[in-house]
Amino acid sequence: MHNIKLQAESIQLGMYSNIICQILLSHKSLSVFKTVTFSYLIKQNRFLGGKIYTANNSQDIIYKGISLLSGDFDGFCNSVPYIVKAIHLLISKGIVYYENDILKLNTKDFATDSVYEETNFMKKVIEESKTFTDKQFMKEVISNV
């Protein structure tokens, strides 16, 4: 039983590591809390099936993106430790570096297969989130979860 738990954790860490690297490759830099939130949303998006919002949405896009967390408090809270461990693993291996609460990919030549695709809508949400302070963003996430 213990071996199965370790294998499941390894799979979770691998998935989140891939997502984090893809986010940082695409968006250059992002705060830790935003990385945690968007990593979870990108992973969950694959299991949600249909698209609620598209890249054509332009008004209140950040609020619409965060609203995808609505009603998923337990799932989000259960995933946070795996995402934080994945970030720690990427930092300790030198793939990602952390400076002034910002994560950046350490290499420009990073290449990997993307397991979870970031939708155009999510790309817009992540870019728009850069206009929010972490405190503002955290308040919105907490109020939606």
Side-chain angles (χ1 to χ4, degrees), residues 16-26 90 95-96 105 110 112:
Y16 281 119
S17 294
N18 181 278
I19 293 168
I20 292 163
C21 289
Q22 292 302 321
I23 289 172
L24 295 176
L25 185 63
S26 178
L90 291 168
I95 297 169
V96 169
L105 202 57
F110 184 80
T112 185

Side-chain angles (χ1 to χ4, degrees), residues 12-20 39-40 43 79 82-83 86:
Q12 291 278 12
L13 292 177
M15 289 186 303
Y16 281 119
S17 294
N18 181 278
I19 293 168
I20 292 163
S39 296
Y40 179 74
K43 182 176 178 249
S79 294
Y82 295 113
I83 301 169

Side-chain angles (χ1 to χ4, degrees), residues 9 24-25 30 40 43 50 60 64-67 70 74 83 92 94 111 132:
E9 182 175 0
L24 295 176
L25 185 63
L30 205 57
Y40 179 74
K43 182 176 178 249
D60 299 326
K64 289 176 182 175
I66 293 172
S67 75
S70 186
D74 289 337
I83 301 169
S92 64
F132 277 49

Side-chain angles (χ1 to χ4, degrees), residues 3-64:
N3 193 26
I4 292 172
K5 286 182 181 180
L6 288 176
Q7 290 174 354
E9 182 175 0
S10 297
I11 291 168
Q12 291 278 12
L13 292 177
M15 289 186 303
Y16 281 119
S17 294
N18 181 278
I19 293 168
I20 292 163
C21 289
Q22 292 302 321
I23 289 172
L24 295 176
L25 185 63
S26 178
H27 300 281
K28 308 299 181 227
S29 65
L30 205 57
S31 73
V32 174
F33 188 73
K34 290 175 185 174
T35 302
V36 168
T37 304
F38 292 126
S39 296
Y40 179 74
L41 283 173
I42 289 169
K43 182 176 178 249
Q44 287 306 102
N45 188 49
R46 183 172 183 178
F47 298 111
L48 292 177
K51 295 178 184 175
I52 297 171
Y53 301 113
T54 66
N56 294 334
N57 293 101
S58 58
Q59 290 185 322
D60 299 326
I61 193 163
I62 191 81
Y63 299 107
K64 289 176 182 175

Side-chain angles (χ1 to χ4, degrees), residues 12 16 36 40 43-44 68-83 141-142 144-145:
Q12 291 278 12
Y16 281 119
V36 168
Y40 179 74
K43 182 176 178 249
Q44 287 306 102
L68 296 173
L69 287 170
S70 186
D72 198 14
F73 179 76
D74 289 337
F76 182 66
C77 289
N78 290 335
S79 294
V80 168
Y82 295 113
I83 301 169
V141 168
I142 290 168
N144 272 282
V145 177

Side-chain angles (χ1 to χ4, degrees), residues 86-112:
I87 291 170
H88 174 72
L89 183 65
L90 291 168
I91 291 170
S92 64
K93 294 296 180 187
I95 297 169
V96 169
Y97 70 94
Y98 173 79
E99 184 176 55
N100 298 327
D101 297 327
I102 301 292
L103 295 172
K104 294 182 181 179
L105 202 57
N106 205 15
T107 177
K108 304 282 188 229
D109 300 329
F110 184 80
T112 185

